Amino acid sequence: MIVGRYVNDQFDRQQFIPIGNGLKTPIRLRKRARPERVKNGQLVSVEVQRDFNGIVTSMDKIRENFGNFSDKGMPQTLAMVNNLIRSGWNEEINKEILEFEIREGIESIGVRRDLRSYPFITIDGKDAKDFDDAVYAEKTTEGYLLFVAIADVSFYVKSGSSIDREAFERGNSVYFSQSVVPMLPEKLSNDLCSLLPNEDRLVLVVSLQVDNFGSMKAVQFSEGVINSKRRFTYDEVQSIYDEESKQLDVIEGVIESLFNLKEIYHSLSNARSARNALNIDGPEIRYKFNKDSRLKSIQLAPRLDSQKVIEECMIAANVAAADFCGESQMLYRHHPRPDHDKLEELRQEAKKIGLKTNESIDGAVSICNDILKFGEKRKERLLLESMVMRSQKLASYSSSEKSHFGLALPYYTHFTSPIRRYSDLIVHRLIKEKIQNPLYKNDGGLNVESVAIQCSSCERRAEEATREEMAYLKCEFMSRHVGDTFRAIVVSVFDL
């Protein structure tokens, strides 16, 4: 099945013009669609005939009519269909959802660490609905004690359940421009597992002793229960940092913790620079939409310290998770070093803009960071960052490859987002097994490599879908400016 536009040509012959799927040539329809079902120019999905090489030769019949391209939400609909993004929940999953009771978890706290009196907070974007993580930090004689509490999704989503099987198939939530297709049912993602303020929630928590140089001296994982004291947005926290205001009507300890977190961020950031990690810190692209869901403006916005605080805390927690399982089987997040040819291309591009780079292939990170630093105060900054990004290999999941080139780390995993990433849910299960049985090695139980392959594949699929949606929206946006003149920097050229 493929998606495209149904049109009548000047001879009243029905044709199908594919959208996406790599097909470009219009194809005549074998059977005439009923006029009352499909109007000229509407978007439809069709069943196709292919030859022995898999090439589409003709269309059998129209399967579904999606309407007109101008209809609200159509770019997302097309991207979902073209990339096989699953949505909705079957009857079996709906039955499982009805069985969830939050009191079951809280009342059976048992050996869980009770952290409900600690002033944990969440810091997210203003439109966030699923809160995976909460943080708290206090000063110690050796530096800081950082707590990162992550929603205990694995308590509710049991291995082999209907919800678990569907989450495996989806691999991750898909974040489109104005809505989310969740990996888990909303009862879990936006309610029972979400670390909502003033609600008792089950978590898997890691406590990290961080010194003033950003080194982690001690790590402890435990199953716990927290009660978040406040839901902050990045902008709110940034305002507190900018004004250096410690006077706010919140529970005692929250503001102090916020400034401790900022100091931890600086320590971790300094350690990150010392190990020569990639320093891609350019502005974010923000999109604004009108009431009809059409793109209204595209703007650049600087990344806030409040965002970087959470980013560094999550990286620290992910590193701790990868290290915790030691010799036990683990699902790693692997980012390989760039190919020699890509680095050489990058070096040649750097020469064109007057920048000399390290001639040693061992200086791969230095080459990238030299270019990034060179572009910090230049108008070509986005171009230079794009050059560096295109030189990188894609990160993926693996049961054996541990290293992360971009972060300059010998091992890394994803632990902090089990509501929206199946990989993190698996890591939670492996960590809980290790907590309960320190000698656990997962000998023949879970096939971690098959999970790695699936999660990597689903991640690529989600990226393609969101990229496709934005391409439609940007084209529609620019169609309103046909004939206008703009100043621009050419980032790349494609032969279409």
Side-chain angles (χ1 to χ4, degrees):
M1 183 186 77
I2 57 177
V3 176
R5 292 177 62 202
Y6 161 89
V7 296
N8 289 333
D9 64 15
Q10 65 269 36
F11 302 108
D12 199 32
R13 293 177 302 191
Q14 291 184 323
Q15 289 187 320
F16 178 82
I17 303 175
I19 295 179
N21 297 294
L23 300 174
K24 302 176 185 178
T25 307
I27 303 170
R28 289 183 61 183
L29 295 174
R30 276 185 174 181
K31 298 180 180 179
R32 191 167 185 81
R34 290 180 298 169
E36 66 270 17
R37 282 191 58 204
V38 182
K39 295 180 180 179
N40 191 36
Q42 288 189 322
L43 295 159
V44 296
S45 61
V46 298
E47 293 181 2
V48 301
Q49 288 286 332
R50 299 178 184 268
D51 64 17
F52 62 92
N53 289 318
I55 298 174
V56 175
T57 57
S58 62
M59 305 297 160
D60 268 353
K61 64 179 179 180
I62 294 173
R63 185 170 177 179
E64 187 174 359
N65 181 3
F66 296 109
N68 299 306
F69 190 84
S70 59
D71 292 348
K72 189 173 183 178
M74 187 57 69
Q76 178 178 328
T77 299
L78 291 175
M80 289 178 64
V81 173
N82 280 336
N83 293 279
L84 305 179
I85 301 298
R86 301 162 73 105
S87 63
W89 313 103
N90 62 36
E91 185 177 347
E92 192 174 354
I93 289 175
N94 286 327
K95 287 181 179 178
E96 283 189 8
I97 295 171
L98 293 174
E99 296 172 1
F100 288 127
E101 288 291 339
I102 184 63
R103 298 311 307 170
E104 177 188 353
I106 301 304
E107 289 177 352
S108 61
I109 183 172
V111 296
R112 283 181 179 267
R113 190 175 179 186
D114 192 344
L115 301 170
R116 286 176 286 186
S117 63
Y118 286 53
F120 278 92
I121 56 170
T122 61
I123 308 175
D124 295 274
K126 64 178 182 179
D127 297 323
K129 294 181 179 179
D130 53 342
F131 307 120
D132 289 287
D133 56 270
V135 290
Y136 164 67
E138 59 187 45
K139 286 188 176 181
T140 68
T141 56
E142 298 181 355
Y144 302 90
L145 185 59
L146 169 65
F147 292 85
V148 179
I150 307 298
D152 190 359
V153 176
S154 63
F155 176 85
Y156 296 99
V157 182
K158 304 300 183 185
S159 179
S161 65
S162 296
I163 293 177
D164 180 59
R165 293 195 300 272
E166 180 65 19
F168 174 80
E169 292 297 330
R170 297 189 181 202
N172 46 252
S173 298
V174 184
Y175 289 80
F176 288 102
S177 62
Q178 299 159 82
S179 66
V180 180
V181 179
M183 180 183 78
L184 300 173
E186 288 81 350
K187 179 65 177 176
L188 291 175
S189 61
N190 295 353
D191 186 5
L192 299 185
C193 294
S194 188
L195 306 184
L196 301 170
N198 304 312
E199 296 285 351
D200 291 349
R201 289 294 184 263
L202 303 180
V203 294
L204 190 54
V205 62
V206 55
S207 54
L208 310 166
Q209 183 68 52
V210 182
D211 68 18
N212 294 320
F213 302 100
S215 297
M216 292 186 286
K217 299 298 185 182
V219 175
Q220 180 186 6
F221 279 86
S222 55
E223 296 174 74
V225 57
I226 68 166
N227 186 298
S228 174
K229 307 308 178 192
R230 178 77 178 256
R231 179 267 202 266
F232 283 101
T233 67
Y234 291 123
D235 289 338
E236 288 173 337
V237 172
Q238 191 61 44
S239 294
I240 294 171
Y241 287 157
D242 291 343
E243 297 169 8
E244 295 188 350
S245 172
K246 298 192 177 184
Q247 303 297 319
L248 195 66
D249 185 21
V250 293
I251 196 166
E252 184 179 356
V254 167
I255 297 300
E256 183 180 358
S257 175
L258 275 175
F259 282 91
N260 288 338
L261 288 166
K262 187 179 181 182
E263 291 173 13
I264 290 173
Y265 150 64
H266 286 302
S267 296
L268 292 173
S269 181
N270 289 337
R272 181 175 180 168
S273 297
R275 66 176 186 263
N276 209 17
L278 278 185
N279 185 29
I280 299 176
D281 194 31
E284 291 184 338
I285 300 175
R286 292 186 180 176
Y287 304 99
K288 292 188 177 182
F289 299 86
N290 62 24
K291 62 181 180 180
D292 296 319
S293 298
R294 293 187 178 185
L295 195 53
K296 182 170 67 174
S297 66
I298 304 173
Q299 302 172 336
L300 292 179
R303 293 183 66 240
L304 305 174
D305 278 351
S306 55
Q307 293 172 288
K308 299 174 188 178
V309 164
I310 293 302
E311 179 182 295
E312 286 296 339
C313 289
M314 296 305 112
I315 290 174
N318 287 335
V319 171
D323 183 51
F324 179 73
C325 286
E327 296 302 315
S328 302
Q329 196 168 14
M330 188 59 170
L331 180 60
Y332 297 101
R333 180 66 170 177
H334 175 52
H335 180 216
R337 27 182 320 116
D339 289 331
H340 178 277
D341 291 346
K342 288 289 186 180
L343 283 175
E344 187 56 36
E345 288 177 14
L346 191 60
R347 186 181 287 114
Q348 295 304 318
E349 289 296 325
K351 286 182 179 179
K352 292 177 183 178
I353 57 175
L355 178 63
K356 293 182 179 180
T357 60
N358 192 330
E359 293 296 325
S360 170
I361 191 63
D362 292 332
V365 176
S366 295
I367 294 171
C368 296
N369 278 338
D370 286 349
I371 293 173
L372 293 170
K373 186 173 181 60
F374 181 77
E376 281 181 359
K377 304 297 182 181
R378 301 174 69 93
K379 63 182 180 180
E380 301 94 343
R381 178 173 185 169
L382 289 179
L383 168 63
L384 297 175
E385 288 189 352
S386 176
M387 283 167 45
V388 172
M389 290 299 294
R390 289 200 304 272
S391 74
Q392 303 300 306
K393 285 189 173 181
L394 294 174
S396 61
Y397 296 99
S398 173
S399 63
S400 56
E401 298 288 349
K402 306 178 181 181
S403 63
H404 197 290
F405 172 79
L407 294 173
L409 291 167
Y411 43 76
Y412 194 63
T413 191
H414 276 168
F415 158 75
T416 55
S417 299
I419 289 177
R420 62 185 178 90
R421 290 193 301 237
Y422 192 77
S423 57
D424 301 45
L425 174 57
I426 291 299
V427 169
H428 275 230
R429 289 173 181 164
L430 293 171
I431 288 175
K432 289 172 80 169
E433 289 281 2
K434 191 73 173 180
I435 292 173
Q436 295 160 13
N437 178 14
L439 299 178
Y440 173 75
K441 290 191 176 183
N442 185 37
D443 296 327
L446 174 67
N447 187 337
V448 178
E449 186 58 27
S450 68
V451 174
I453 293 170
Q454 171 69 3
C455 290
S456 297
S457 174
C458 291
E459 180 180 35
R460 303 289 172 255
R461 180 178 65 193
E463 289 171 351
E464 286 296 324
T466 53
R467 190 179 296 120
E468 182 176 335
E469 184 217 19
M470 284 311 306
Y472 295 142
L473 291 167
K474 289 175 183 177
C475 286
E476 194 280 330
F477 173 77
M478 293 307 296
S479 71
R480 291 176 249 147
H481 296 278
V482 172
D484 294 348
T485 302
F486 297 92
R487 294 180 62 86
I489 295 175
V490 177
V491 174
S492 59
V493 179
F494 296 95
D495 183 15
L496 297 177

